[in-house]
Amino acid sequence: MSEVPEDLQGGSTEVTKVGGRVLRSRRQGSTNVEWLLTVLERRGFRYSPRFLGLSDDGQQVLEFMEGRAGSYPLPTALRSDEAVISAARALRSLHEVTSDLATEVVEGWMLEAVEPYEVICHGDFAPYNCVFDESRLVGIIDFDTAHPGPRIRDVAYAIYRFAPLTAPGNAVGFGSLAEQARRARLFCDEYGEVNRTQVIETVCRRLLDLVSYMRSQAAQGDAAFQSHLDGGHDGVYLRDVHYLRTNEEVLTRALM
């Protein structure tokens, strides 16, 4: 019996599961991502899917990672401290294994490399791009936005998503300001090497960059990003920036 394709949620990329394989449409930066996944496999990195080659019609073929992706609204298990801790440890592991690769391939990524080139950032490290066994992170998926950059760029965005550092009214957010701060500190404690005084401002810059990128891609005719704008995603991020800058002193003090 032939295997029935199953469409998966893949952000702005078409993703299909066929048996134990995942097929993803190639796009700008895919060649670099395929190189990265191959190197990660060779180095024994256990969180990333294996790159298995290209299909007859030119799609990426990746290993399917068993587990539960972090779809919104996050279930109770993925709001746990264990989820935050395992996410911080996995991101630190990714950064450690790529620290000597950051200057090896600088051009040709979907997102531009950002100096200083300390590690290869995932670029969108969030629950929806992670796979969990109950509340423990066991896999990282969707490396389309990977690029060389400073580790704090990845760490700050991950904290934004896992704490989460969202304004009241953001549908994917939860927890009081004090609880958000506690979870942000927990992430920093588990990750380790990060300048905590820069976290909140880095989150804000990252969100402003994201808004600019969404708008530029939509203006160039990208239907997926246009749908995000139509859904008001840019406004959500801008409200979060305002919330974070309003509470920056309180949050930064709590991180120390």
Side-chain angles (χ1 to χ4, degrees):
M1 181 181 297
S2 61
E3 296 167 322
V4 178
E6 175 188 353
D7 289 336
L8 301 177
Q9 185 174 355
S12 58
T13 304
E14 292 184 9
V15 184
T16 305
K17 178 179 179 290
V18 182
R21 301 171 300 147
V22 171
L23 278 65
R24 295 179 62 90
S25 299
R26 299 183 85 244
R27 56 188 304 169
Q28 180 183 350
S30 289
T31 299
N32 287 0
V33 171
E34 291 153 10
W35 164 78
L36 174 61
L37 294 178
T38 300
V39 174
L40 290 177
E41 179 189 2
R42 188 165 64 238
R43 294 186 171 188
F45 184 70
R46 62 190 179 92
Y47 293 105
S48 56
R50 290 186 300 139
F51 171 60
L52 303 177
L54 300 178
S55 65
D56 291 341
D57 59 354
Q59 296 185 82
Q60 287 181 346
V61 182
L62 305 171
E63 167 194 27
F64 176 72
M65 305 197 79
E66 296 289 347
R68 178 181 191 176
S71 300
Y72 293 121
L74 293 180
T76 301
L78 301 191
R79 300 184 180 202
S80 67
D81 284 1
E82 183 180 20
V84 174
I85 290 168
S86 62
R89 290 175 178 173
L91 185 60
R92 178 58 185 256
S93 181
L94 174 65
H95 289 169
E96 290 302 301
V97 79
T98 62
S99 61
D100 66 329
L101 300 174
T103 58
E104 195 162 323
V105 179
V106 175
E107 303 294 334
W109 302 90
M110 186 178 85
L111 298 184
E112 290 186 7
V114 178
E115 294 185 298
Y117 306 143
E118 297 175 345
V119 299
I120 295 184
C121 297
H122 178 275
D124 193 9
F125 191 87
Y128 50 77
N129 281 331
C130 296
V131 177
F132 298 85
D133 178 5
E134 298 297 335
S135 58
R136 181 173 57 89
L137 188 151
V138 295
I140 306 169
I141 56 177
D142 193 353
F143 282 77
D144 283 355
T145 53
H147 62 282
R151 62 177 68 231
I152 194 171
R153 183 174 171 84
D154 239 7
V155 172
Y157 188 75
I159 291 172
Y160 167 71
R161 288 297 186 179
F162 277 90
L165 299 180
T166 53
N170 186 326
V172 305
F174 58 89
S176 65
L177 178 64
E179 176 62 10
Q180 292 172 345
R182 186 191 70 80
R183 289 165 59 85
R185 177 167 181 164
L186 179 61
F187 194 104
C188 288
D189 288 346
E190 291 300 323
Y191 179 89
E193 180 186 346
V194 63
N195 185 338
R196 302 184 188 207
T197 66
Q198 295 181 2
V199 167
I200 303 305
E201 180 54 31
T202 302
V203 174
C204 292
R205 290 201 307 269
R206 179 69 180 82
L207 293 180
L208 293 173
D209 287 347
L210 177 57
V211 169
S212 295
Y213 184 77
M214 290 169 58
R215 289 174 175 174
S216 67
Q217 292 300 302
Q220 294 174 37
D222 189 302
F225 283 106
Q226 184 60 56
S227 70
H228 294 332
L229 296 184
D230 292 342
H233 292 198
D234 53 341
V236 170
Y237 295 137
L238 293 175
R239 286 191 292 274
D240 286 347
V241 169
H242 176 74
Y243 172 74
L244 290 172
R245 286 188 166 156
T246 300
N247 295 286
E248 182 171 6
E249 183 177 348
V250 171
L251 287 167
T252 301
R253 188 165 58 246
L255 287 173
M256 306 306 290

